[in-house]
Amino acid sequence: MVTAAPGEDRSPALALVNTRRLTAAGQVDDLASPGAATDWLRRHGLAAAVSGPDELGRLTDLRAAVRELLAALADGRAPEATAVDTVNAAARADAAAPRLTWRNGPVREWHSTRPGSADAAVAALARDAIEVVGGELGPLVRPCEAHGCIRYYVREHARRRWCSTTCGDRVRAARHHRLVVEQREGSR
């Protein structure tokens, strides 16, 4: 099991972007099949089944669009128009309405008109992406600076540069190795 990047617990859209990543063994895709995508959705509180390649394609297209939005935000540029269109269309895939519940105080929740459908899951992820990009988390979302890492995280501390301790350790080990090699070459 991969350690969640900071912020994934607060944003399923951020977790969605990080379902594709690079490891020492190669590229990993948590949405490689409808069954894997269904498992991922359920682990993230979206009780929906991805029944075939069309629904899987909508989910992976949304992932690519949200990744483009986050990259544009981090780079300080406008995203590709198709990414914005994809997220907006996905957000409209299922009608939802706010509902007030009370758990130790007021809580606003969005409830689908078609709970458990793939449309409801895709729409919830798209709405979360819109909240992240347009909300208070947006300026904090950053790409991991470790070489070979393609994940995003919420940078809650000014000194944080990596999505996980694994990436940070890899960067520090590479830096140490480079210094050792330079010292050896300098002593010749």
Side-chain angles (χ1 to χ4, degrees):
M1 189 70 147
V2 174
T3 303
E8 284 187 18
D9 59 332
R10 293 166 43 191
S11 169
L14 181 62
L16 174 68
V17 167
N18 291 335
T19 58
R20 200 187 83 217
R21 61 193 173 284
L22 299 174
T23 68
Q27 186 166 308
V28 174
D29 187 349
D30 293 335
L31 308 178
S33 69
T38 297
D39 291 344
W40 183 87
L41 287 170
R42 290 184 178 154
R43 282 195 314 273
H44 288 84
L46 299 164
V50 177
S51 62
D54 290 342
E55 289 179 351
L56 180 60
R58 287 196 354 254
L59 188 59
T60 57
D61 288 350
L62 177 62
R63 172 179 63 188
V66 175
R67 176 174 285 281
E68 167 59 16
L69 296 181
L70 296 179
L73 192 63
D75 295 344
R77 62 175 172 80
E80 295 176 9
T82 56
V84 174
D85 293 343
T86 298
V87 170
N88 285 333
R92 291 187 305 267
D94 176 53
R99 184 173 79 181
L100 180 66
T101 58
W102 210 269
R103 286 184 232 120
N104 298 324
V107 177
R108 181 189 66 181
E109 298 175 325
W110 289 90
H111 288 271
S112 166
T113 57
R114 296 182 346 206
S117 70
D119 285 343
V122 167
L125 289 165
R127 285 190 297 268
D128 183 63
I130 291 167
E131 284 292 320
V132 168
V133 172
E136 64 186 39
L137 283 183
L140 302 175
V141 175
R142 295 282 181 266
C144 182
E145 293 181 17
H147 177 72
C149 185
I150 59 173
R151 291 179 12 151
Y152 282 79
Y153 69 98
V154 173
R155 184 177 178 191
E156 294 176 327
H157 189 278
R159 293 183 54 178
R160 183 168 200 124
R161 300 283 185 255
W162 309 294
C163 68
S164 67
T165 56
T166 301
C167 280
D169 291 347
R170 246 186 28 243
V171 169
R172 287 187 283 277
R175 186 181 319 135
H176 175 74
H177 178 71
R178 191 173 50 251
L179 289 174
V180 168
V181 168
E182 288 173 0
Q183 288 175 347
R184 279 190 203 145
E185 290 175 356
S187 65
R188 290 184 185 175

